[in-house]
Amino acid sequence: SRILCPSPECVRVQGYRDDDTGIIRGTALSTISQMDAFNSFELQFDVTLSDVEAGDYCIVSYRYDTEADYTAVASFEGNSATEEFPEQHLSQIGSIPFPSGNAETLYVKLAAKGNSAKGGDICYFDNVSLFGNIVAPTQPTTPTPTLMLT
């Protein structure tokens, strides 16, 4: 629906019975400039739940290529009202820890976990952006005099 998903970058993910259907995008860490200046990542996104009932979810998760499983950054449970009144969550932020080991790729998964036989549990994701958190430089601690005696 163009009303719930107006931008061309918006994606519609349908949830099917006991499945976490989704889309996955990978980012090669080598393409991120000034990577050594970061100590973690933040993922910012919008999500709209449409006809997502209680017990069904819109989920944002990640994994590095050195990991087997995805880790949830954020999960949004539906309710009975989203059939008539889609529920928007704008400018959500999830934290992704910096990779340990020799990771080369970060994968982000946008998913719908539903119980519909026909994919009726719908999650719309938009404005998905990845940011790096900059490591704050440590300041040397030098004692400063509180009282000067002359």
Side-chain angles (χ1 to χ4, degrees), residues 111-129:
K113 183 164 179 51
N115 64 359
S116 171
K118 297 182 180 179
D121 301 302
I122 303 170
C123 303
Y124 296 95
F125 296 95
D126 200 3
N127 300 315
V128 180
S129 299

Side-chain angles (χ1 to χ4, degrees), residues 3-6 10 43-49 76 86-94 124-128:
I3 294 169
L4 298 177
C5 202
C10 183
L43 191 67
Q44 184 175 353
F45 58 92
D46 300 338
V47 61
T48 301
L49 287 68
F76 302 87
E87 186 176 294
Q88 286 188 314
H89 298 274
L90 304 177
S91 299
Q92 299 298 300
I93 295 176
Y124 296 95
F125 296 95
D126 200 3
N127 300 315
V128 180

Side-chain angles (χ1 to χ4, degrees), residues 4-148:
L4 298 177
C5 202
S7 83
E9 291 83 23
C10 183
V11 294
R12 173 186 163 139
V13 180
Q14 295 176 257
Y16 292 89
R17 185 168 293 139
D18 299 322
D19 187 22
D20 61 345
T21 306
I23 65 164
I24 298 168
R25 294 291 182 263
T27 300
L29 299 177
S30 62
T31 64
I32 299 174
S33 63
Q34 300 177 344
M35 179 76 164
D36 54 349
F38 304 133
N39 62 356
S40 66
F41 295 111
E42 282 189 354
L43 191 67
Q44 184 175 353
F45 58 92
D46 300 338
V47 61
T48 301
L49 287 68
S50 178
D51 206 9
V52 180
E53 304 87 11
D56 298 334
Y57 299 86
C58 296
I59 304 168
V60 177
S61 57
Y62 76 92
R63 78 171 182 87
Y64 291 101
D65 59 325
T66 54
E67 301 167 343
D69 298 320
Y70 281 86
T71 301
V73 169
S75 179
F76 302 87
E77 184 175 8
N79 60 63
S80 59
T82 64
E83 185 173 351
E84 282 195 50
F85 306 103
E87 186 176 294
Q88 286 188 314
H89 298 274
L90 304 177
S91 299
Q92 299 298 300
I93 295 176
S95 182
I96 299 176
F98 208 65
S100 58
N102 298 324
E104 295 180 5
T105 306
L106 168 64
Y107 296 99
V108 173
K109 183 176 184 180
L110 309 174
K113 183 164 179 51
N115 64 359
S116 171
K118 297 182 180 179
D121 301 302
I122 303 170
C123 303
Y124 296 95
F125 296 95
D126 200 3
N127 300 315
V128 180
S129 299
L130 181 67
F131 298 95
N133 285 323
I134 296 176
V135 177
T138 56
Q139 299 295 325
T141 55
T142 45
T144 50
T146 55
L147 178 61
M148 291 289 277

